[in-house]
Amino acid sequence: QLETESVTKPLRLVVVSGMSGAGRSTAAHSLEDLGWYVVDNLPPSVLPEVCRQAREINLTRLGVVLDVRTRGFFEQLPTMFTELAAIGTLPEILFLEAADDVIVRRQESVRRPHPLQGDGRLLDGIHRERETLATLRAAADLVIDTSSLNSHQLGSRVAHAYGGSTDDQLRVTLLSFGFKYGI
């Protein structure tokens, strides 16, 4: 008589970060479309607890968007990554960047202020953000420059990098149409 063992798959954690206007939201939506559970704008201090809870409900793929919007919490990232390693979760870092002129154009088109702009110029905020994110960018497993990419191309790159299914699930898309009165 054979007994089947319940094997718990390890939690795969992808931290999505990068420049404001470089496509973090698009990347997060692409991960969700691939079946990942994604949390946006999470304070880094709660990241280890989120991973523990994800394991408890048998999640195998978790995406977390972390960026400078978390303000003072951002300095906690190295400590949180150390805590994650202690509980057996090694995060993969996806970093998105774009050229300054592209970010300026994208920021102006969404009409939302840059998180680090303050009362200064948009370019000053972009430069402060690059300085703040430099260490995280250096530690990134994958850096995607989105300067010349549209949202579909970025989604395709994210799907290529993170679309490999770790679950034994079948996904079916069925499209049906007809011509009631002929062509």
Side-chain angles (χ1 to χ4, degrees):
Q1 180 179 17
L2 294 173
E3 290 184 26
T4 58
E5 285 185 27
S6 174
V7 179
T8 304
K9 293 184 180 183
L11 176 65
R12 186 172 180 195
L13 172 65
V14 172
V15 174
V16 180
S17 192
M19 300 295 295
S20 298
R24 288 187 317 261
S25 294
T26 301
H29 292 306
S30 296
L31 286 173
E32 285 178 338
D33 292 345
L34 294 168
W36 288 69
Y37 185 83
V38 178
V39 182
D40 193 0
N41 201 15
L42 185 73
S45 59
V46 299
L47 190 55
E49 182 58 30
V50 169
C51 289
R52 281 187 200 95
Q53 290 182 13
R55 278 201 196 105
E56 286 177 13
I57 61 171
N58 293 323
L59 277 180
T60 57
R61 298 181 294 175
L62 174 64
V64 177
V65 180
L66 297 175
D67 54 64
V68 295
R69 290 177 294 168
T70 57
R71 308 266 192 264
F73 294 114
F74 203 75
E75 291 83 30
Q76 299 172 348
L77 274 179
T79 305
M80 293 310 108
F81 285 167
T82 303
E83 284 186 35
L84 288 172
I87 63 171
T89 301
L90 297 175
E92 301 171 47
I93 301 172
L94 167 60
F95 191 90
L96 302 169
E97 66 180 1
D100 288 353
D101 62 319
V102 173
I103 291 175
V104 167
R105 188 175 66 247
R106 291 176 183 171
Q107 285 293 135
E108 288 175 347
S109 71
V110 295
R111 298 181 186 171
R112 295 186 69 200
H114 187 278
L116 297 181
Q117 181 177 351
D119 293 332
R121 298 177 324 147
L122 178 56
L123 272 175
D124 295 335
I126 293 170
H127 290 219
R128 279 193 292 275
E129 185 177 30
R130 279 199 199 283
E131 290 171 7
T132 303
L133 295 174
T135 304
L136 190 59
R137 186 197 183 285
D141 297 287
L142 176 60
V143 176
I144 300 176
D145 185 342
T146 66
S147 297
S148 62
L149 301 179
N150 63 34
S151 59
H152 301 291
Q153 292 167 325
L154 175 56
S156 178
R157 293 221 180 151
V158 170
H160 179 72
Y162 301 104
S165 179
T166 58
D167 294 335
D168 298 322
Q169 296 179 349
L170 175 64
R171 177 179 278 188
V172 176
T173 302
L174 178 63
L175 175 64
S176 176
F177 67 94
F179 298 103
K180 186 175 182 179
Y181 300 106
I183 296 178

